[in-house]
Amino acid sequence: MAETRRLTLEALERLTHGVLAASGFDADHAEAIGRVINAAQRDACHSHGVYRLLGMASAVREGLARGDVAPEVIDHASAIVKVDARFGFSPLAFERGLPALIEKTRRQGIAAMAINRCFHFTALWPEVERIAAEGLVGIAMTPSHAWVAPHGGSRGLFGTNPLAFSWPRPHAEPYVFDFATSAIARGDIELHRRAGKPLEPGWAVDSAGRPTLDPQAALDGAMLSFGGHKGSALATMIELLAGPLIDDMTSLESQRFDHGRGAAPCHGELILTLDPQAFLGVSLEAAQTRAEALFAEIVAQGARLPSERRRAARRQAITEGAVEIPAALVEELEALRSGQG
Amino acid sequence: MAETRRLTLEALERLTHGVLAASGFDADHAEAIGRVINAAQRDACHSHGVYRLLGMASAVREGLARGDVAPEVIDHASAIVKVDARFGFSPLAFERGLPALIEKTRRQGIAAMAINRCFHFTALWPEVERIAAEGLVGIAMTPSHAWVAPHGGSRGLFGTNPLAFSWPRPHAEPYVFDFATSAIARGDIELHRRAGKPLEPGWAVDSAGRPTLDPQAALDGAMLSFGGHKGSALATMIELLAGPLIDDMTSLESQRFDHGRGAAPCHGELILTLDPQAFLGVSLEAAQTRAEALFAEIVAQGARLPSERRRAARRQAITEGAVEIPAALVEELEALRSGQG
C-alpha cells in the first residue's frame, strides 16, 4: 500500500483550485471542474479524483485543451439543447447547458443535451446525480478512445464508453449506476502488467484477436466489452448516439485527433432526461412507491444497489471532514500548483 | 433434430391468421400480430415466431387478454404519446401510436411512446426496424415476468427485460440489435425444455439458488442477468423506465397479476425515438458517413453486425418463398385453427 496523506475537504478544495488556476483554467472552469473532481475524491473514486488534474493540466499546457473558453449554449430544437464546449472541459459545458435542459424536459417530458467538442476526464455519475436532484431521470454516455475490440474482432474500435443512469427517490439518495461497457478499465490492465499478474479471461485479446491473459499482449491488442456480443452492441449504440447523432467524433476519430499524444479524449457527450412528473401527473407518488418496492426487494435478497460503496465513502469523508490521497500524488499536485509541475 | 414441415410464406400467413381468427382476435389485431409473428418466423427467430401463437390464443381463451379491443392513443405531452392497449396485445397498440410518435419526434427532436396494459409476446426488433424505416433512431424496452435474479441475489425479480436499438442507414438495412438483459431469452429455456436439451452454465439457478443446467429447474428457479452487475443494473433501469415511469407494472407485479397461470406477461413498454435530421440538419450526410465507417471497421475485423444471421434467414425465406417449422408445432397450430386446439 502506497503512503497516503490526509487532506481536509477544505485543503482538497484549495489544492484542486490552486492546480487549476496555475494551469491556465479560469475561475468558472475551476469551479465546475473542482465540484466533480472533489466529489469523486470524496467518494473514494480515485480513478476520477484529483489524479485526473494531471492530465487536464498537461492538455492545457500542451495547447490541446482550453481552460478559459466560455461554452456556448445553443437552443437547437424544442427538446434538444446543444452546448459547444469549444475544446474546453466538459463540467462547465454541462453546468451551462443544464438549466435549458431541465426547462425543456419539464415542458416536453423528455429532452436531450448534446455537448460537443469537449475534453472529457470526469465520471458521469456526478452529472446524473445532479439531474436526479431536479427530480428528473438522467441517462448519460460518451465515447472515449478506440481501445475496445468489437465482439468477434481483433482491433480497438470502441471506447470504454460509459453509460450512467439516475432515478430520483423522494426519501433517499437517487438510484445511480455508471459503468464502462468495456470488461475492465484500461488502467487495470496496466496495473496487472506492472505487477506481473495475468489478466482474467474475457478481458482482452492479442493483436491477432485471440483471447489472452498476458497484459502486454492485451495492451498491444485490444480490450473486450463486458457481456460478450450484448456489451459490444451497447458500446456500438453509445458510439452512434454520442458520436454521429450529435455531430461529433467516434472513439476511433477521437483517438486519431489525439495524434498519439495519449493526452485527452476529445469528443461529444449525450445526456437524455425524462420528467416523471410529466409522464405520471397525479400517479407520481404511486409510481415512486412501486420503484421503492423494487429497490427493497433487491436489498432484501442481499444484493447491493449500485453506488452503495461510493456513498459509504462519502459519508465517511463528510463525517471525518477529510480524505486520504496517495502522498506522491499530493506532492505532484502541489508542485503543479506552485508552477513547478 | 425434430421433424419439420415446409410452409410457403402464403401458407404461413394463412395459418397465423386462421389461428388468430379462431382464437377470438379481430381483423385489426390479427393483421398487426401477423406482421410481427410472420416476420420473426421468416427471419428464423423461432422463439418469437408462430410458436408464440399458442400462448396468445390461450391468454384470450382464458379471458386474460383481449383480442378485440381498440387501443386508445393519448396525446399526453409535447414529446410523449401514450397508448392504452386495454389488455390487448402490443402490436396493434404500437402501430396505432406510431404516427403520433413519429410526428412528435420530427417536431421536437426526441420523443417517447408509452404503451400501457399490453400483453407482450413479440420481439422488439420489428418495432425498432419500423422506426428506422422512418429515418429515426429507436430504442425499445419492456419488463416481463420476475424470472431473473438481481446480481448477488437468489430470487426472480427482473424480467428478461429486452433492449432493442435501431440506427437508420441510407443505403443498407438499419443497424439493429435486440437482446434480453437476461443471460438467455426465456423462450430459449422453454425451447431447451421442449427439446430435452441441457442449458449452458451461467444461464440460471434452481429454486434454492444453485447453478443448474436443467431447463425445468431453471424455470422453477431463476435466470441470471448477462454481464454480471452491469447487466443487472441495465435490467433495473428497464424495470424503472418501462414500469413506474410509465405508470405500469414491474416484472414482479406483472407476474403476480398473472396469478400463476403462466400465461401472458401483461405490462408496459417504453419506446424512445430520436430524429437524426433534427439533431444534425445539414450535417446529416457527414454523420451518416461517420457511422458507416464504424460499421465498415466492425465488418473489416471479421466481427458480425447484430441481426446478420436474421437477415440471411430472411433472404433465404424470401428466395425460397417458404420456411421450415417443426411438424409438431404446425399440427398444434392447425388444430387451434380448426377449433380443436
Side-chain angles (χ1 to χ4, degrees):
Chain A
M1 194 70 190
E3 197 189 337
T4 63
R5 259 179 57 189
R6 190 175 183 78
L7 264 68
T8 66
L9 295 177
E10 293 71 27
L12 172 70
E13 205 165 309
R14 280 195 305 275
L15 178 61
T16 299
H17 281 249
V19 168
L20 289 167
S23 305
F25 289 83
D26 66 23
D28 288 346
H29 274 286
E31 280 291 327
I33 293 168
R35 265 189 283 278
V36 293
I37 289 283
N38 293 337
Q41 197 64 54
R42 176 202 64 194
D43 284 16
C45 294
H46 296 285
S47 62
H48 287 91
V50 289
Y51 155 73
R52 293 281 164 142
L53 293 171
L54 304 176
M56 288 181 160
S58 83
V60 167
R61 198 169 48 230
E62 291 167 26
L64 272 162
R66 297 288 302 271
D68 57 356
V69 284
E72 187 191 355
V73 179
I74 303 143
D75 190 338
H76 183 80
S78 306
I80 303 171
V81 53
K82 285 199 162 201
V83 186
D84 182 354
R86 301 170 66 206
F87 302 109
F89 289 87
S90 60
L92 186 61
F94 175 82
E95 289 191 6
R96 289 286 166 87
L98 189 60
L101 178 66
I102 292 168
E103 192 273 330
K104 284 174 187 291
T105 311
R106 295 227 166 99
R107 190 151 36 85
Q108 323 282 357
I110 179 170
M113 177 158 74
I115 302 177
N116 288 115
R117 303 198 294 171
C118 73
F119 283 85
H120 214 298
F121 261 91
T122 45
L124 297 180
W125 60 258
E127 298 182 356
V128 294
E129 278 197 356
R130 181 73 189 78
I131 289 164
E134 299 289 335
L136 305 177
V137 170
I139 301 172
M141 62 192 85
T142 63
S144 59
H145 278 178
W147 295 310
V148 178
H151 181 71
S154 55
R155 294 189 295 275
L157 176 61
F158 306 141
T160 51
N161 293 14
L163 179 71
F165 171 79
S166 63
W167 175 270
R169 301 174 64 184
H171 307 298
E173 289 175 296
Y175 173 90
V176 169
F177 69 70
D178 177 1
F179 61 72
T181 52
S182 54
I184 191 75
R186 181 94 181 150
D188 281 315
I189 303 229
E190 181 61 34
L191 286 178
H192 277 71
R193 190 188 64 77
R194 285 203 222 175
K197 276 169 58 182
L199 306 178
E200 287 182 24
W203 284 5
V205 290
D206 66 17
S207 56
R210 291 172 304 225
T212 185
L213 305 184
D214 173 16
Q216 189 55 56
L219 291 168
D220 295 340
M223 294 159 64
L224 291 173
S225 294
F226 91 99
H229 73 279
K230 296 180 182 182
S232 184
L234 266 185
T236 308
M237 181 185 83
I238 293 168
E239 289 288 328
L240 292 167
L241 294 183
L245 180 72
I246 61 167
D247 202 13
D248 218 314
M249 288 186 273
T250 60
S251 294
L252 196 59
E253 291 174 292
S254 176
Q255 190 165 41
R256 284 174 186 156
F257 176 84
D258 181 56
H259 289 289
R261 286 169 289 214
C266 178
H267 48 62
E269 176 181 355
L270 178 67
I271 297 143
L272 306 180
T273 43
L274 301 95
D275 183 6
Q277 178 70 57
F279 273 84
L280 289 156
V282 293
S283 304
L284 177 63
E285 211 174 313
Q288 286 169 334
T289 304
R290 185 167 251 171
E292 291 305 314
L294 184 78
F295 301 137
E297 175 62 18
I298 291 174
V299 173
Q301 292 194 22
R304 257 210 320 247
L305 294 177
S307 305
E308 272 184 17
R309 198 165 1 197
R310 194 162 56 69
R311 263 83 179 250
R314 180 185 306 183
R315 284 190 293 272
Q316 189 186 338
I318 289 170
T319 302
E320 299 182 4
V323 292
E324 297 281 339
I325 303 178
L329 176 57
V330 175
E331 276 162 36
E332 217 172 330
L333 292 167
E334 284 173 342
L336 267 179
R337 179 172 57 178
S338 62
Q340 292 149 9
Chain B
M1 193 71 192
E3 196 191 337
T4 62
R5 261 181 55 191
R6 191 175 181 79
L7 263 69
T8 65
L9 295 178
E10 294 70 28
L12 171 71
E13 205 166 308
R14 282 196 303 276
L15 178 61
T16 299
H17 281 249
V19 168
L20 290 166
S23 305
F25 289 82
D26 67 23
D28 288 346
H29 274 287
E31 280 291 327
I33 293 167
R35 264 189 283 277
V36 292
I37 289 285
N38 294 336
Q41 196 65 54
R42 176 202 63 194
D43 285 15
C45 294
H46 297 286
S47 61
H48 287 93
V50 290
Y51 155 73
R52 293 281 165 141
L53 293 171
L54 303 176
M56 289 182 159
S58 83
V60 167
R61 199 168 49 229
E62 290 167 26
L64 273 163
R66 298 288 302 273
D68 57 355
V69 284
E72 189 190 354
V73 179
I74 303 143
D75 189 338
H76 183 79
S78 307
I80 303 173
V81 53
K82 285 199 163 203
V83 187
D84 183 354
R86 302 169 64 206
F87 302 109
F89 288 86
S90 60
L92 187 60
F94 174 82
E95 289 191 5
R96 290 286 165 86
L98 188 60
L101 178 66
I102 292 168
E103 192 273 331
K104 283 174 187 293
T105 311
R106 295 227 165 98
R107 190 149 37 85
Q108 322 284 354
I110 179 170
M113 176 158 75
I115 302 177
N116 288 115
R117 303 198 296 170
C118 74
F119 283 86
H120 215 298
F121 262 90
T122 44
L124 297 181
W125 59 259
E127 297 181 357
V128 295
E129 278 196 357
R130 181 75 189 76
I131 289 164
E134 300 289 335
L136 305 178
V137 170
I139 302 172
M141 62 191 84
T142 63
S144 58
H145 277 177
W147 295 312
V148 178
H151 181 70
S154 55
R155 294 188 298 275
L157 176 60
F158 306 141
T160 51
N161 294 14
L163 178 71
F165 171 80
S166 64
W167 175 272
R169 302 174 65 185
H171 307 298
E173 288 175 295
Y175 174 90
V176 169
F177 70 71
D178 176 3
F179 62 72
T181 52
S182 53
I184 191 77
R186 182 81 177 167
D188 282 318
I189 299 227
E190 180 63 31
L191 286 178
H192 275 72
R193 189 188 64 78
R194 288 167 74 95
K197 276 169 61 182
L199 307 179
E200 286 181 25
W203 285 4
V205 290
D206 66 17
S207 57
R210 294 171 304 219
T212 184
L213 304 184
D214 174 17
Q216 189 56 55
L219 292 168
D220 295 340
M223 294 159 65
L224 296 172
S225 290
F226 90 100
H229 73 278
K230 296 180 183 182
S232 186
L234 266 185
T236 308
M237 179 185 84
I238 293 169
E239 289 289 327
L240 293 167
L241 293 184
L245 179 72
I246 61 167
D247 201 13
D248 217 313
M249 290 186 272
T250 60
S251 294
L252 196 59
E253 292 174 291
S254 176
Q255 189 163 45
R256 284 174 186 155
F257 175 84
D258 182 57
H259 289 290
R261 284 169 290 214
C266 178
H267 48 63
E269 175 181 355
L270 178 66
I271 297 142
L272 306 180
T273 42
L274 302 96
D275 182 7
Q277 178 69 58
F279 273 84
L280 288 156
V282 294
S283 304
L284 177 62
E285 212 174 314
Q288 286 169 336
T289 303
R290 184 168 251 171
E292 292 304 314
L294 185 77
F295 300 137
E297 175 61 18
I298 292 174
V299 172
Q301 293 194 21
R304 258 209 320 246
L305 294 176
S307 305
E308 273 185 16
R309 196 164 4 196
R310 194 162 57 67
R311 263 83 178 252
R314 180 185 306 183
R315 283 190 293 272
Q316 189 186 340
I318 289 171
T319 302
E320 299 183 3
V323 292
E324 297 280 339
I325 303 177
L329 177 57
V330 176
E331 276 162 36
E332 220 173 326
L333 292 167
E334 285 173 341
L336 267 179
R337 178 171 59 177
S338 62
Q340 291 149 10

